[in-house]
Amino acid sequence: MGIINTLYVTFRLMIMVNLGALMFCWKLPRRRFFWFSFILLIVLNGIFSWSWRYFFHNFFDSENVFLQCTSFLIQYIFTLFLVFFSYECKITTALFCATCAYCMQHIVARLTTMIEQFFDEGLPAWIVILIHIFFGIVVYSVCYRVFVKRNGKSNKGIVVKSPTQIVIMTFAIAVMVVVEQAMIPTVFGTDILLRVANFISSIIFVLCVLILQFNLLTNEEFRTELDVLKQISMKERQHFEMEKAVVDTINIKVHDLKHQLNVLDGKMDEMEINKIKSAVDIYDSSFKTGNKALDVVLTMKSLVCKNKKIELTVMIDGKRLSFISDTDIYSLFGNILDNAIEAVEKIDDVDKRIISLSMSEEKSMLFIRAENYTAIEPTLIEGIPQTTKEDKHYHGFGIKSIRMIVAQYGGDISIDVSGGVFTLDIMFFSSASV
């Protein structure tokens, strides 16, 4: 048992901090010489931990605050290097992972020490080890569930771009450690209640740092998604102008061709004329909803549907959507139909290749419903279908764009997937269109 206790005391800080860091960064892409740098830094870290235990403690006071803080700092640097040199990330991301890892280790250590304070004669070493392991499992599991796996994003690597707040948080942790280590022997002495109060306050402080760290990360993710959505919106605005010109050109040419066919009627073989008329009808826009932007979207998407043998039915009064800008109409219905087409084209049964768009009005509410069959029912997280594409960073923004546009006009959306049918409902207050 003595050997186990020695190993526990020697390597517990190293193991806990490195495990915590790896918990946050393991989804990041690895560097080219990952295993070389990873193993080298782990070995060097282990050598340092062993040397510190058996060399420095034999020549210096083991309770020396400066030496203890130096040990924590060196361990932190090892963990920082482990993340930075093993994974493809910026130094800010490595700082984030190392700081969060130390926060978790600190919570576990303080909870364990706090329990020990209530036993005057001390606890057997094996019980202390079990208590430490128990708190480690609990704290790390909770942190993984709350912070790492947050909202189903455990498959996404953590990327931190803003350095200022990360540096401030790291500095705050460093100051807290120094102050706490200095206050325990000098201020609190042997008073159990004061020492426990100090441990509780440090745990609360570290929890606040963790929460602030991930609040920063969440805000960065929102900003990144917003930037992507803005870029998509700009491209869709350009596409709208281009497709509007294309539709106008097609309609003019189709009108001219029909006029010429009428002139040629009786002068050419009837069967040949009918074939030409059928071909022309494909490009003849039959959508006259009363909203020019909506007509453009429906015309272009209907051509795609015909090419993929998909039936598109539309029952919408476009005039009721006049309160929405043309570019937002284009983006909103373009994303709805793109998602529906992508789902329907995977269905082998041609009879189920149907997309339906409808509108209804009840009292002061305006409802838009999109329905289509789906071969694979998507997973819904917070009401948003998760993309099935491998590149999840650049896909899955269709529904987010829809939600953003609808919210911009005071509306709301709901999604239901049941019985192999995907249903998207959009609700606006009718007063919005006045």
Side-chain angles (χ1 to χ4, degrees):
M1 192 63 206
I3 296 177
I4 295 177
N5 183 56
T6 300
L7 293 174
Y8 160 76
V9 173
T10 303
F11 297 109
R12 62 183 175 184
L13 179 62
M14 166 188 165
I15 293 172
M16 295 299 290
V17 176
N18 286 337
L19 278 178
L22 294 175
M23 189 175 79
F24 290 111
C25 69
W26 70 287
K27 276 293 182 179
L28 292 171
R30 296 176 178 180
R31 293 193 184 274
R32 184 178 178 184
F33 301 104
F34 169 80
W35 286 111
F36 173 78
S37 57
F38 183 85
I39 293 174
L40 176 63
L41 286 166
I42 289 292
V43 170
L44 292 176
N45 199 345
I47 293 173
F48 163 75
S49 299
W50 186 271
S51 301
W52 186 267
R53 173 70 180 170
Y54 286 95
F55 178 76
F56 291 103
H57 278 210
N58 289 332
F59 291 91
F60 300 97
D61 179 11
S62 61
E63 299 298 325
N64 186 291
V65 174
F66 173 77
L67 289 179
Q68 287 186 343
C69 293
T70 301
S71 173
F72 295 149
L73 175 61
I74 295 174
Q75 178 61 62
Y76 180 89
I77 292 173
F78 268 115
T79 305
L80 180 68
F81 285 175
L82 180 69
V83 176
F84 182 72
F85 289 108
S86 300
Y87 295 91
E88 293 283 354
C89 66
K90 294 183 178 180
I91 191 66
T92 50
T93 301
L95 276 170
F96 179 90
C97 295
T99 302
C100 291
Y102 180 78
C103 287
M104 292 192 302
Q105 180 277 331
H106 185 82
I107 293 172
V108 174
R110 286 294 167 258
L111 287 172
T112 304
T113 308
M114 193 165 58
I115 296 298
E116 292 183 85
Q117 300 301 309
F118 294 100
F119 296 89
D120 295 332
E121 298 180 357
L123 291 171
W126 66 272
I127 293 181
V128 175
I129 294 174
L130 289 178
I131 293 173
H132 192 267
I133 293 174
F134 170 77
F135 281 130
I137 293 173
V138 172
V139 172
Y140 279 52
S141 298
V142 171
C143 288
Y144 177 81
R145 186 70 185 88
V146 174
F147 298 121
V148 181
K149 198 179 179 180
R150 61 201 192 286
N151 299 326
K153 296 183 179 179
S154 59
N155 61 339
K156 182 178 179 181
I158 291 174
V159 178
V160 180
K161 299 178 181 178
S162 177
T164 306
Q165 287 180 283
I166 295 298
V167 173
I168 292 173
M169 294 300 173
T170 304
F171 180 75
I173 286 290
V175 171
M176 185 273 294
V177 170
V178 174
V179 172
E180 184 193 48
Q181 292 296 324
M183 290 178 67
I184 289 176
T186 57
V187 178
F188 301 120
T190 58
D191 191 312
I192 294 177
L193 293 180
L194 286 177
R195 291 171 74 93
V196 169
N198 178 54
F199 294 149
I200 293 175
S201 65
S202 69
I203 290 172
I204 293 173
F205 180 86
V206 168
L207 281 173
C208 289
V209 170
L210 269 175
I211 293 171
L212 288 172
Q213 292 269 65
F214 277 91
N215 182 60
L216 167 66
L217 180 64
T218 302
N219 289 339
E220 283 194 357
E221 289 175 347
F222 284 149
R223 284 196 295 269
T224 301
E225 288 188 357
L226 185 60
D227 289 341
V228 173
L229 289 172
K230 286 180 178 178
Q231 292 176 12
I232 292 173
S233 179
M234 289 179 62
K235 290 181 179 179
E236 287 176 340
R237 189 176 296 113
Q238 295 172 355
H239 289 165
F240 168 65
E241 296 299 333
M242 292 172 59
E243 291 187 1
K244 181 175 178 293
V246 169
V247 170
D248 289 340
T249 302
I250 288 175
N251 287 334
I252 292 172
K253 294 298 182 182
V254 167
H255 180 269
D256 292 342
L257 281 171
K258 282 189 171 183
H259 178 71
Q260 294 173 18
L261 286 172
N262 289 331
V263 173
L264 294 172
D265 195 12
K267 298 180 181 179
M268 288 181 62
D269 182 74
E270 185 176 350
M271 185 176 295
E272 291 297 324
I273 290 181
N274 289 336
K275 286 182 180 180
I276 297 173
K277 284 183 177 180
S278 297
V280 170
D281 287 339
I282 294 176
Y283 297 96
D284 187 13
S285 175
S286 59
F287 294 102
K288 304 295 181 183
T289 65
N291 186 295
K292 182 65 176 177
L294 182 58
D295 292 344
V296 170
V297 178
L298 296 177
T299 298
M300 298 305 294
K301 300 306 177 185
S302 66
L303 294 176
V304 176
C305 288
K306 288 177 181 178
N307 183 52
K308 296 179 180 290
K309 298 181 180 179
I310 297 172
E311 181 182 345
L312 174 63
T313 61
V314 180
M315 295 181 64
I316 291 181
D317 181 4
K319 295 178 182 178
R320 303 295 295 133
L321 299 173
S322 59
F323 63 97
I324 304 177
S325 71
D326 287 348
T327 52
D328 285 340
I329 285 284
Y330 177 86
S331 179
L332 177 63
F333 286 93
N335 278 308
I336 290 174
L337 291 172
D338 282 340
N339 291 339
I341 291 170
E342 184 179 346
V344 170
E345 68 179 343
K346 297 175 183 178
I347 299 175
D348 295 328
D349 188 352
V350 180
D351 293 335
K352 289 188 175 182
R353 290 191 171 191
I354 302 172
I355 300 173
S356 171
L357 277 176
S358 61
M359 176 188 290
S360 62
E361 192 168 4
E362 297 179 14
K363 296 181 180 179
S364 61
M365 311 299 293
L366 186 67
F367 297 94
I368 299 171
R369 168 167 287 193
E371 289 182 301
N372 60 268
Y373 288 101
T374 179
I376 303 173
E377 294 190 3
T379 302
L380 299 181
I381 297 179
E382 293 188 347
I384 297 180
Q386 301 304 294
T387 179
T388 57
K389 297 177 181 178
E390 292 183 2
D391 189 356
K392 299 182 185 299
H393 183 70
Y394 293 102
H395 294 287
F397 284 94
I399 295 295
K400 292 179 182 178
S401 178
I402 293 170
R403 174 172 284 182
M404 184 179 71
I405 293 171
V406 171
Q408 182 181 338
Y409 294 91
D412 196 9
I413 72 170
S414 65
I415 295 172
D416 178 69
V417 184
S418 58
V421 177
F422 180 92
T423 304
L424 169 66
D425 286 306
I426 300 175
M427 179 269 300
F428 292 110
F429 287 100
S430 292
S431 57
S433 62
V434 176

